Amino acid sequence: PFLLLGMDRAGSRIMAAIASGERIAIYADFDCDGIPGAALFSDFFRKIAYSNVEVYLPHRDREGYGFHTAAIAALASRGATLIITIDVGTTAFDAVHFAKGKGVDVIVTDHHEIMRAPPEAVAVLNPKLSPYPFPHLCGAAVAFKLVQALLIEGRRRGMEAWGKISDGWEKWLLDMVAIATIADMVPLVGENRVLAHWGLAVLRKSPRPGIRALCKKLRLVQRELTEDDIGFSIAPRINAASRMDEPDLAFRLLTTDDPAEADTLVAQLEKLNASR
């Protein structure tokens, strides 16, 4: 993960925020790349028992795609001093500048094309920037790389919360990376092929109640899930949330620990997808 340009700066800033109890906002795109990315990052914060965090998913119709100043202002008003973007922000020059004026630092994790010098964020993590050797990662995969780096750095620093995390725990986040990698239709070669392969292996035994509820509703055998099941069954339901209602429905489905809530959310998403 440290091959991503700016990873050292990103990791240091997040570790400083955690150490001083700052409010951190995760700002993710509303599609089936940003939402799984937000879910895996949320899982990381829960794992280290850091609760001064909120997730913000812009509304497709009311706000549209992008990193928006109105949302930044709202997050700042709720005390956020650090925003981590997922799957958005590479070209958000004005928004990053606006955040700076509000006293809010921004770390961008994204994979979209780079048109010119990146915004003046604390760090812009994008695999299309040299020296990263594989430029085709999806947004959730870049977020996963940041989590990997934070786990390494936290252990190096001897952070107490990290001591309770078993080596290799982050592999359980690969179900989200596989869903995003396949749904976002990035090339399934190189590192993406590795992430999709092992992510499918995790997805087939994922303990997430939302994944289990989805499989039950769609009559999919979880232990036999394929990339086609993601592309044609799982991803459309996740995308239906933002296209027909609130993206938060899909985020809650992927992160809930409550099987009853998962069943309710799957029923809502299935209805939305049928309407779509």
Side-chain angles (χ1 to χ4, degrees):
F2 292 98
L3 289 176
L4 281 163
L5 187 68
M7 184 62 85
D8 287 330
R9 292 193 303 277
S12 293
R13 180 65 186 88
I14 294 168
M15 298 297 281
I18 291 168
S20 58
E22 292 179 54
R23 186 164 183 79
I24 301 172
I26 301 165
Y27 185 111
D29 190 24
F30 46 63
D31 69 359
C32 196
D33 187 4
I35 293 173
L40 72 85
F41 225 104
S42 175
D43 287 349
F44 164 73
F45 280 120
R46 278 198 292 178
K47 192 70 176 175
I48 63 168
Y50 192 80
S51 58
N52 198 10
V53 176
E54 72 171 290
V55 172
Y56 188 94
L57 304 168
H59 192 278
R60 183 187 293 266
D61 295 326
R62 291 195 301 267
E63 297 171 273
Y65 173 79
F67 188 32
H68 303 295
T69 54
I72 294 166
L75 292 169
S77 73
R78 294 196 286 271
T81 53
L82 175 62
I83 297 175
I84 303 166
T85 76
I86 297 175
D87 193 32
V88 68
T90 292
T91 58
F93 305 99
D94 293 342
V96 171
H97 181 75
F98 177 84
K100 211 170 183 180
K102 289 277 184 186
V104 179
D105 285 336
V106 177
I107 293 168
V108 171
T109 77
D110 195 10
H111 69 122
H112 291 102
E113 293 297 330
I114 296 156
M115 305 301 180
R116 55 188 172 106
E120 293 181 44
V122 171
V124 176
L125 306 181
N126 188 317
K128 290 181 171 63
L129 289 168
S130 180
Y132 201 73
F134 183 78
H136 306 300
L137 295 177
C138 71
V142 182
F144 175 74
K145 290 283 171 184
L146 178 52
V147 169
Q148 281 186 308
L150 290 169
L151 288 168
I152 292 167
E153 182 64 14
R155 288 193 179 104
R156 188 185 70 78
R157 295 188 185 194
M159 301 281 281
E160 186 180 350
W162 272 248
K164 302 167 189 171
I165 303 173
S166 58
D167 282 344
W169 166 79
E170 65 269 25
K171 69 177 177 288
W172 290 106
L173 305 176
L174 287 173
D175 55 352
M176 296 294 97
V177 180
I179 288 172
T181 297
I182 291 165
D184 216 49
M185 296 191 288
V186 290
L188 287 181
V189 298
E191 191 172 6
N192 283 341
R193 195 169 188 85
V194 176
L195 292 169
H197 173 84
W198 293 110
L200 274 166
V202 172
L203 191 64
R204 289 172 188 142
K205 52 177 119 174
S206 177
R208 295 179 194 269
I211 295 297
R212 294 185 171 184
L214 256 181
C215 289
K216 182 180 173 186
K217 182 71 174 177
L218 302 177
R219 296 181 181 176
L220 299 172
V221 180
Q222 185 179 348
R223 66 180 179 275
E224 298 173 1
L225 287 172
T226 68
E227 62 273 23
D228 281 352
D229 293 325
I230 292 173
F232 296 105
S233 298
I234 294 173
R237 270 77 184 175
I238 293 171
N239 277 323
S242 66
R243 288 183 176 142
M244 302 296 290
D245 199 341
E246 298 287 341
D248 186 59
L249 294 173
F251 172 76
R252 282 164 49 209
L253 177 72
L254 296 177
T255 55
T256 184
D257 291 324
D258 182 353
E261 184 186 22
D263 288 339
T264 301
L265 290 165
V266 164
Q268 286 179 267
L269 291 175
E270 185 63 11
K271 190 175 177 183
L272 291 172
N273 190 60
S275 298
R276 183 166 75 92

